[in-house]
Amino acid sequence: LNEFEIIDQFFLRKSYSKPGWVKVGIGDDGAVLAAHEDNDLVVATDTLVSGIHFWEESSPVNIGYKSLAVSLSDLAAMGADPDWVLLNLVIREADSQWLENFASGFFELADRFDVQLVGGDTTCGPLSITVTAGGWVPKEGAITRAGAKSGDLVFVSGTLGDAALGLEVEPERMANLPSLSRIHRPEPRIRLGQELRTIASAAIDVSDGLASDLTHLARASGGMGAVVDERLIPFSDNACSLKPRDELLLLALSGGDDYELCFTANPSREKAIVRLSGQVGIPITRIGMISETPGFWLIGSGGKCKQYLGGGYQHQWAPDV
Ligand code: ADP
Ligand code: MG
């Protein structure tokens, strides 16, 4: 298969009628999309590299799903309604079965959120996938990391630590523990993000562990910090059945790949947040507060507050020689 056959066979979906706002889709030098006058465009891009973000032998269905999910999660954190994506695919060989499975995972998620693949690039090399996603918010309506105020409450969606724990658990056992398969199939919190536009003061998606991501949010909000009560951090039943709380805590704080939303809001919005949780069917837990003291602070099981210096998941760059 050459590049054009790959695109034609796996990514250009003929049976699919493209919406009117895609004026020119796959096949030209660029895509032409109608713009919305009253909205702001939010764009995010993410690269997944084989051997770092997934194993080369991972199920291609999951690789396809996850490569889209991580970009959609960024749009969710901004409160955007995703519309289109570009897919840059670097593959070692044109393996039809692999491509077909990859595309099925990718389009399964794309179709669920009504996201259009409008272009991309396909080249030969070590397996890596970049997805660039675009979505809309009402003008000035994007949720950023920078809006938190001292005294705002900190909330998190879903449960934390499942993805990092999933990495430790053998695949057969993981298959029976749905929350742990999130390492392969994170759920982008798209609807929640959109509903938070009028409620949250700041938001971030938790991709590198709560400690690191919440610290980013607090720092971006005028150099502030966050105090989190470790007793309030939500864990899944599956996780609790496998590990004691103190070990789960480390996974939640410094593990990666949960793709839940962490957001802040004025305390007066707490009731609205409880209601929203019921509306979208996702647990939302208050875990702490924004404070003027920079850094990430943890209230422990004994009620004492200590600075947490564990940091988050970081890539190891090769040392200089
Ligand atoms: P160019 O040479 O102008 O960069 P290409 O030959 O790389 O264009 O791509 C041909 C068309 O196919 C373009 O419209 C491009 O956006 C699209 N395309 C290439 N790879 C992919 C892919 N993996 N998924 C979706 N569309 C793709
Ligand atoms: Mg061109």
Side-chain angles (χ1 to χ4, degrees), residues 125-151:
L127 180 59
S128 117
I129 300 131
T130 300
V131 173
T132 303
W136 302 95
V137 292
K139 265 206 185 338
E140 312 299 328
I143 314 169
T144 67
R145 299 177 179 187
K149 304 265 184 307
S150 174

mmCIF file of all heavy atoms in Angstrom, residues 125-151:
data_model
loop_
_atom_site.group_PDB
_atom_site.id
_atom_site.type_symbol
_atom_site.label_atom_id
_atom_site.label_comp_id
_atom_site.label_asym_id
_atom_site.label_seq_id
_atom_site.Cartn_x
_atom_site.Cartn_y
_atom_site.Cartn_z
ATOM 1 N N GLY A 125 8.166 5.636 9.150
ATOM 2 C CA GLY A 125 9.172 5.842 10.197
ATOM 3 C C GLY A 125 8.751 5.131 11.453
ATOM 4 O O GLY A 125 7.783 4.378 11.441
ATOM 5 N N PRO A 126 9.487 5.359 12.558
ATOM 6 C CA PRO A 126 9.113 4.720 13.827
ATOM 7 C C PRO A 126 7.715 5.154 14.250
ATOM 8 O O PRO A 126 7.408 6.346 14.217
ATOM 9 C CB PRO A 126 10.164 5.233 14.822
ATOM 10 C CG PRO A 126 11.193 5.936 14.023
ATOM 11 C CD PRO A 126 10.657 6.241 12.672
ATOM 12 N N LEU A 127 6.884 4.182 14.636
ATOM 13 C CA LEU A 127 5.471 4.411 14.916
ATOM 14 C C LEU A 127 5.238 5.571 15.879
ATOM 15 O O LEU A 127 5.711 5.569 17.018
ATOM 16 C CB LEU A 127 4.868 3.128 15.506
ATOM 17 C CG LEU A 127 3.391 3.158 15.869
ATOM 18 C CD1 LEU A 127 2.531 3.472 14.660
ATOM 19 C CD2 LEU A 127 2.966 1.826 16.492
ATOM 20 N N SER A 128 4.508 6.572 15.405
ATOM 21 C CA SER A 128 4.106 7.687 16.261
ATOM 22 C C SER A 128 2.883 8.352 15.648
ATOM 23 O O SER A 128 2.684 8.326 14.425
ATOM 24 C CB SER A 128 5.290 8.653 16.444
ATOM 25 O OG SER A 128 5.024 9.910 15.921
ATOM 26 N N ILE A 129 2.040 8.883 16.509
ATOM 27 C CA ILE A 129 0.759 9.409 16.060
ATOM 28 C C ILE A 129 0.536 10.783 16.672
ATOM 29 O O ILE A 129 0.647 10.952 17.885
ATOM 30 C CB ILE A 129 -0.398 8.482 16.506
ATOM 31 C CG1 ILE A 129 -0.206 7.088 15.921
ATOM 32 C CG2 ILE A 129 -1.746 9.048 16.099
ATOM 33 C CD1 ILE A 129 -0.340 5.996 16.912
ATOM 34 N N THR A 130 0.222 11.751 15.820
ATOM 35 C CA THR A 130 -0.112 13.090 16.306
ATOM 36 C C THR A 130 -1.535 13.416 15.898
ATOM 37 O O THR A 130 -1.891 13.260 14.730
ATOM 38 C CB THR A 130 0.848 14.143 15.720
ATOM 39 O OG1 THR A 130 2.173 13.815 16.123
ATOM 40 C CG2 THR A 130 0.519 15.543 16.208
ATOM 41 N N VAL A 131 -2.331 13.841 16.849
ATOM 42 C CA VAL A 131 -3.690 14.279 16.538
ATOM 43 C C VAL A 131 -3.834 15.735 16.944
ATOM 44 O O VAL A 131 -3.517 16.112 18.074
ATOM 45 C CB VAL A 131 -4.742 13.412 17.255
ATOM 46 C CG1 VAL A 131 -6.140 13.988 17.051
ATOM 47 C CG2 VAL A 131 -4.693 11.976 16.744
ATOM 48 N N THR A 132 -4.282 16.541 16.004
ATOM 49 C CA THR A 132 -4.576 17.942 16.269
ATOM 50 C C THR A 132 -6.086 18.098 16.211
ATOM 51 O O THR A 132 -6.707 17.699 15.230
ATOM 52 C CB THR A 132 -3.908 18.840 15.204
ATOM 53 O OG1 THR A 132 -2.506 18.558 15.214
ATOM 54 C CG2 THR A 132 -4.139 20.313 15.485
ATOM 55 N N ALA A 133 -6.653 18.644 17.269
ATOM 56 C CA ALA A 133 -8.110 18.740 17.337
ATOM 57 C C ALA A 133 -8.540 20.194 17.466
ATOM 58 O O ALA A 133 -7.866 21.001 18.109
ATOM 59 C CB ALA A 133 -8.636 17.932 18.529
ATOM 60 N N GLY A 134 -9.666 20.517 16.847
ATOM 61 C CA GLY A 134 -10.221 21.864 16.934
ATOM 62 C C GLY A 134 -11.653 21.814 17.425
ATOM 63 O O GLY A 134 -12.407 20.894 17.110
ATOM 64 N N GLY A 135 -12.018 22.772 18.236
ATOM 65 C CA GLY A 135 -13.389 22.846 18.733
ATOM 66 C C GLY A 135 -13.741 24.283 19.074
ATOM 67 O O GLY A 135 -12.888 25.163 19.053
ATOM 68 N N TRP A 136 -15.005 24.493 19.370
ATOM 69 C CA TRP A 136 -15.498 25.871 19.531
ATOM 70 C C TRP A 136 -15.999 26.152 20.939
ATOM 71 O O TRP A 136 -16.511 25.269 21.608
ATOM 72 C CB TRP A 136 -16.640 26.109 18.548
ATOM 73 C CG TRP A 136 -16.240 25.871 17.123
ATOM 74 C CD1 TRP A 136 -16.400 24.718 16.416
ATOM 75 C CD2 TRP A 136 -15.592 26.802 16.252
ATOM 76 N NE1 TRP A 136 -15.893 24.872 15.144
ATOM 77 C CE2 TRP A 136 -15.398 26.137 15.014
ATOM 78 C CE3 TRP A 136 -15.152 28.125 16.375
ATOM 79 C CZ2 TRP A 136 -14.788 26.753 13.930
ATOM 80 C CZ3 TRP A 136 -14.554 28.731 15.285
ATOM 81 C CH2 TRP A 136 -14.377 28.052 14.080
ATOM 82 N N VAL A 137 -15.808 27.378 21.352
ATOM 83 C CA VAL A 137 -16.453 27.881 22.571
ATOM 84 C C VAL A 137 -17.107 29.213 22.209
ATOM 85 O O VAL A 137 -16.666 29.879 21.265
ATOM 86 C CB VAL A 137 -15.441 28.119 23.721
ATOM 87 C CG1 VAL A 137 -14.873 26.809 24.233
ATOM 88 C CG2 VAL A 137 -14.322 29.065 23.291
ATOM 89 N N PRO A 138 -18.139 29.633 22.939
ATOM 90 C CA PRO A 138 -18.668 30.976 22.713
ATOM 91 C C PRO A 138 -17.543 31.988 22.948
ATOM 92 O O PRO A 138 -16.644 31.718 23.740
ATOM 93 C CB PRO A 138 -19.747 31.127 23.790
ATOM 94 C CG PRO A 138 -20.046 29.750 24.256
ATOM 95 C CD PRO A 138 -18.834 28.914 24.011
ATOM 96 N N LYS A 139 -17.582 33.124 22.262
ATOM 97 C CA LYS A 139 -16.521 34.133 22.382
ATOM 98 C C LYS A 139 -16.162 34.414 23.836
ATOM 99 O O LYS A 139 -17.039 34.602 24.661
ATOM 100 C CB LYS A 139 -16.974 35.442 21.723
ATOM 101 C CG LYS A 139 -16.481 35.544 20.298
ATOM 102 C CD LYS A 139 -16.345 36.982 19.847
ATOM 103 C CE LYS A 139 -15.963 37.150 18.395
ATOM 104 N NZ LYS A 139 -15.309 36.088 17.678
ATOM 105 N N GLU A 140 -14.863 34.391 24.128
ATOM 106 C CA GLU A 140 -14.322 34.637 25.484
ATOM 107 C C GLU A 140 -14.769 33.563 26.471
ATOM 108 O O GLU A 140 -14.611 33.739 27.681
ATOM 109 C CB GLU A 140 -14.736 36.023 26.033
ATOM 110 C CG GLU A 140 -14.529 37.200 25.086
ATOM 111 C CD GLU A 140 -13.066 37.388 24.693
ATOM 112 O OE1 GLU A 140 -12.186 37.080 25.523
ATOM 113 O OE2 GLU A 140 -12.819 37.821 23.544
ATOM 114 N N GLY A 141 -15.345 32.461 25.983
ATOM 115 C CA GLY A 141 -15.929 31.471 26.889
ATOM 116 C C GLY A 141 -15.008 30.336 27.292
ATOM 117 O O GLY A 141 -15.396 29.490 28.103
ATOM 118 N N ALA A 142 -13.783 30.275 26.734
ATOM 119 C CA ALA A 142 -12.899 29.148 27.051
ATOM 120 C C ALA A 142 -12.517 29.159 28.536
ATOM 121 O O ALA A 142 -12.312 30.218 29.113
ATOM 122 C CB ALA A 142 -11.646 29.200 26.183
ATOM 123 N N ILE A 143 -12.443 27.979 29.129
ATOM 124 C CA ILE A 143 -11.934 27.865 30.495
ATOM 125 C C ILE A 143 -10.421 27.719 30.377
ATOM 126 O O ILE A 143 -9.949 26.858 29.636
ATOM 127 C CB ILE A 143 -12.476 26.607 31.200
ATOM 128 C CG1 ILE A 143 -13.982 26.460 30.984
ATOM 129 C CG2 ILE A 143 -12.156 26.641 32.684
ATOM 130 C CD1 ILE A 143 -14.510 25.087 31.432
ATOM 131 N N THR A 144 -9.668 28.539 31.080
ATOM 132 C CA THR A 144 -8.216 28.414 31.020
ATOM 133 C C THR A 144 -7.700 27.919 32.371
ATOM 134 O O THR A 144 -8.469 27.694 33.296
ATOM 135 C CB THR A 144 -7.555 29.779 30.701
ATOM 136 O OG1 THR A 144 -7.761 30.647 31.817
ATOM 137 C CG2 THR A 144 -8.163 30.388 29.445
ATOM 138 N N ARG A 145 -6.384 27.788 32.456
ATOM 139 C CA ARG A 145 -5.782 27.392 33.733
ATOM 140 C C ARG A 145 -5.636 28.601 34.655
ATOM 141 O O ARG A 145 -5.316 28.450 35.833
ATOM 142 C CB ARG A 145 -4.379 26.817 33.490
ATOM 143 C CG ARG A 145 -4.383 25.589 32.625
ATOM 144 C CD ARG A 145 -2.960 25.106 32.373
ATOM 145 N NE ARG A 145 -2.972 23.897 31.550
ATOM 146 C CZ ARG A 145 -1.902 23.173 31.273
ATOM 147 N NH1 ARG A 145 -0.720 23.537 31.745
ATOM 148 N NH2 ARG A 145 -2.007 22.101 30.529
ATOM 149 N N ALA A 146 -5.855 29.770 34.111
ATOM 150 C CA ALA A 146 -5.380 30.986 34.790
ATOM 151 C C ALA A 146 -6.417 31.715 35.628
ATOM 152 O O ALA A 146 -6.126 32.756 36.180
ATOM 153 C CB ALA A 146 -4.795 31.947 33.744
ATOM 154 N N GLY A 147 -7.619 31.182 35.760
ATOM 155 C CA GLY A 147 -8.676 31.981 36.386
ATOM 156 C C GLY A 147 -8.944 31.725 37.862
ATOM 157 O O GLY A 147 -9.840 32.328 38.446
ATOM 158 N N ALA A 148 -8.185 30.825 38.495
ATOM 159 C CA ALA A 148 -8.509 30.470 39.884
ATOM 160 C C ALA A 148 -8.164 31.608 40.845
ATOM 161 O O ALA A 148 -7.184 32.323 40.649
ATOM 162 C CB ALA A 148 -7.756 29.204 40.285
ATOM 163 N N LYS A 149 -9.009 31.763 41.874
ATOM 164 C CA LYS A 149 -8.786 32.795 42.888
ATOM 165 C C LYS A 149 -8.501 32.109 44.218
ATOM 166 O O LYS A 149 -8.962 30.994 44.468
ATOM 167 C CB LYS A 149 -10.052 33.652 43.045
ATOM 168 C CG LYS A 149 -10.540 34.295 41.757
ATOM 169 C CD LYS A 149 -9.984 35.700 41.651
ATOM 170 C CE LYS A 149 -10.499 36.460 40.430
ATOM 171 N NZ LYS A 149 -10.333 35.769 39.144
ATOM 172 N N SER A 150 -7.802 32.808 45.082
ATOM 173 C CA SER A 150 -7.569 32.281 46.418
ATOM 174 C C SER A 150 -8.914 32.024 47.096
ATOM 175 O O SER A 150 -9.803 32.861 47.025
ATOM 176 C CB SER A 150 -6.749 33.308 47.205
ATOM 177 O OG SER A 150 -6.635 32.895 48.530
ATOM 178 N N GLY A 151 -9.065 30.852 47.697
ATOM 179 C CA GLY A 151 -10.336 30.501 48.341
ATOM 180 C C GLY A 151 -11.269 29.704 47.448
ATOM 181 O O GLY A 151 -12.250 29.139 47.936
#
